[in-house]
Amino acid sequence: FLNISFKKFFSHQIFIITIFGIIAYFSLFLANTFTDQIILSFITNGLIYFILSMCLLFLFPSLFSLSRKEIINYIVLAKNKIH
């Protein structure tokens, strides 16, 4: 149908889930290192996870089947919609 190997597609999915899992645990570790308060830890964890995810997206856009040019176009489009 799509001429994509199931094994290749499935291994890519597992790889992405693993990468984001590592980012999640790392951000959780950092957030818990900074504070013991649950709410502040939750917010810090989310912020760290977001920043690391965006760095991953910008450094390796091919993981998401994008190019840097496409990412920049999406950022400009979102920026224009906000203003």
Side-chain angles (χ1 to χ4, degrees):
F1 178 66
L2 294 175
N3 293 330
I4 299 174
S5 167
F6 177 76
K7 185 177 180 180
K8 184 177 178 181
F9 182 73
F10 187 71
S11 64
H12 182 265
Q13 294 291 319
I14 297 299
F15 178 71
I16 294 296
I17 290 170
T18 303
I19 293 295
F20 278 104
I22 291 169
I23 290 174
Y25 282 114
F26 182 70
S27 64
L28 179 64
F29 172 76
L30 283 179
N32 288 337
T33 301
F34 291 135
T35 184
D36 290 333
Q37 296 178 354
I38 293 174
I39 301 294
L40 190 56
S41 179
F42 178 74
I43 292 169
T44 306
N45 185 14
L47 184 62
I48 294 170
Y49 181 81
F50 176 76
I51 291 169
L52 292 176
S53 297
M54 290 302 107
C55 288
L56 181 69
L57 174 65
F58 197 73
L59 291 174
F60 304 105
S62 62
L63 290 175
F64 306 95
S65 299
L66 295 170
S67 67
R68 278 204 181 97
K69 186 177 180 179
E70 288 175 313
I71 293 171
I72 292 170
N73 287 339
Y74 287 133
I75 291 170
V76 170
L77 182 67
K79 191 176 179 184
N80 289 338
K81 287 196 180 233
I82 291 173
H83 292 288

